[in-house]
Amino acid sequence: MFTCQACGWSAPVQFAACQDCGAPGAMLQIRHGQDVADMLPEIPRLEEVVGDIVHTPTGLALVDRALGGGVVPGQTILLVGPPGAGKTTLILLAAEQLAGDRGLYVTAEETLEQVRARFAGVGVGRIRAWQETDPLRIEELAHAWAREILIVDSVNRLHDPGLAAAPGTPSQIKSSAGILLRWAKTAGVPLVLVGHVTWADRFQGPRTLEHLVDTVLYYERVESLADDVRILHVAKNRFGPAVSVRIHVDELRP
């Protein structure tokens, strides 16, 4: 048997990366009579853990204010909003300034030609883009291209071929998102999952996903405000305050 020294998952064959936690090169062979504990890492006491959480500004002041200063390595963000609110524009503009061509935008809904036409003149062009719905394939692409940030638009359209359920069902959303969440934590790269909303303006997916991610953002229009004004509401943030920020759309663009 080969056992992952990071999480303890075992398999009769050796994988390049653990199929449970995603740790690369962690599958080591356990021979008969060998104590599994001998293969596990030394677990530090909490007081021995070193390092601080460092925020990296996105370059959009209002977004950074909402996030508590920017993004942190491995941060997982669920960005939710109604169609037409501009959530994709918002996150692409932030990613363009944060990462440039070291960021990857994966669309699960449109062709690359449609994405390029839709965002022509917005100030987005350096970020790399691809069309894909398979979360395992997205994970492979992210290993190669998502050095600073990965954006998947939208999580509701992903389809794990290992499940019989249709895209958009709770089991598909949870499974697909879980693959990408594990990758982000292992790689230390911020991940943004764009999501749809229900008629009640809540995330259209299992509530467990909101509990699994680090940050939940709602980006929406408010009828009482002008057409060019949006509200970015931070419903949850493990790395900063839960606040609401008023954003003028025209001020986002260069």
Side-chain angles (χ1 to χ4, degrees):
M1 295 294 289
F2 295 85
T3 299
C4 175
Q5 58 182 332
C7 71
W9 182 78
S10 296
V13 295
Q14 187 176 28
F15 292 95
C18 176
Q19 301 300 290
D20 187 29
C21 71
M27 300 294 293
L28 297 181
Q29 188 174 18
I30 303 296
R31 300 186 182 279
H32 179 70
Q34 186 176 8
D35 190 348
V36 175
D38 294 338
M39 308 302 296
L40 296 177
E42 181 70 22
I43 303 297
R45 293 188 295 270
L46 189 58
E47 64 184 16
E48 298 174 333
V49 177
V50 297
D52 297 319
I53 295 177
V54 179
H55 290 79
T56 300
T58 65
L60 296 182
L62 291 176
V63 174
D64 292 337
R65 176 185 166 193
L67 292 174
V71 296
V72 305
Q75 183 175 6
T76 53
I77 301 171
L78 178 63
L79 175 62
V80 182
K87 52 189 180 294
T88 302
T89 301
L90 176 73
I91 197 59
L92 280 180
L93 286 169
E96 180 82 3
Q97 297 194 51
L98 171 69
D101 63 0
R102 294 174 64 85
L104 176 63
Y105 170 75
V106 178
T107 173
E109 300 184 349
E110 299 178 289
T111 66
L112 294 182
E113 292 77 14
Q114 289 174 324
V115 172
R116 183 177 183 275
R118 192 152 68 95
F119 295 102
V122 174
V124 175
R126 293 182 301 154
I127 190 169
R128 298 183 185 275
W130 197 250
Q131 197 281 329
E132 183 60 67
T133 59
D134 184 343
L136 295 174
R137 179 58 177 160
I138 294 174
E139 181 182 24
E140 294 176 349
L141 295 169
H143 272 302
W145 299 107
R147 311 292 174 79
E148 301 290 341
I149 193 170
L150 170 64
I151 303 166
V152 179
D153 186 4
S154 70
V155 67
N156 301 80
R157 297 299 185 188
L158 297 183
H159 179 250
D160 182 352
L163 295 179
T169 57
S171 59
Q172 273 289 357
I173 294 175
K174 185 177 179 180
S175 176
S176 298
I179 292 171
L180 299 176
L181 292 173
R182 285 194 296 271
W183 173 84
K185 293 300 182 183
T186 302
V189 174
L191 165 68
V192 179
L193 298 174
V194 180
H196 297 317
V197 296
T198 63
W199 288 107
D201 287 337
R202 300 299 300 171
F203 172 55
Q204 188 178 333
R207 294 299 302 271
T208 52
L209 186 56
E210 296 187 50
H211 297 303
L212 290 174
V213 298
D214 298 315
T215 306
V216 179
L217 305 176
Y218 281 87
Y219 190 63
E220 55 196 353
R221 287 191 179 99
V222 177
E223 292 184 1
S224 60
L225 299 177
D227 290 340
D228 64 341
V229 175
R230 305 289 187 274
I231 297 296
L232 181 62
H233 174 62
V234 183
K236 171 188 175 182
N237 192 359
R238 288 175 177 157
F239 307 115
V243 299
S244 294
V245 176
R246 182 180 299 193
I247 295 177
H248 291 268
V249 176
D250 293 339
E251 296 178 355
L252 293 174
R253 304 177 182 181

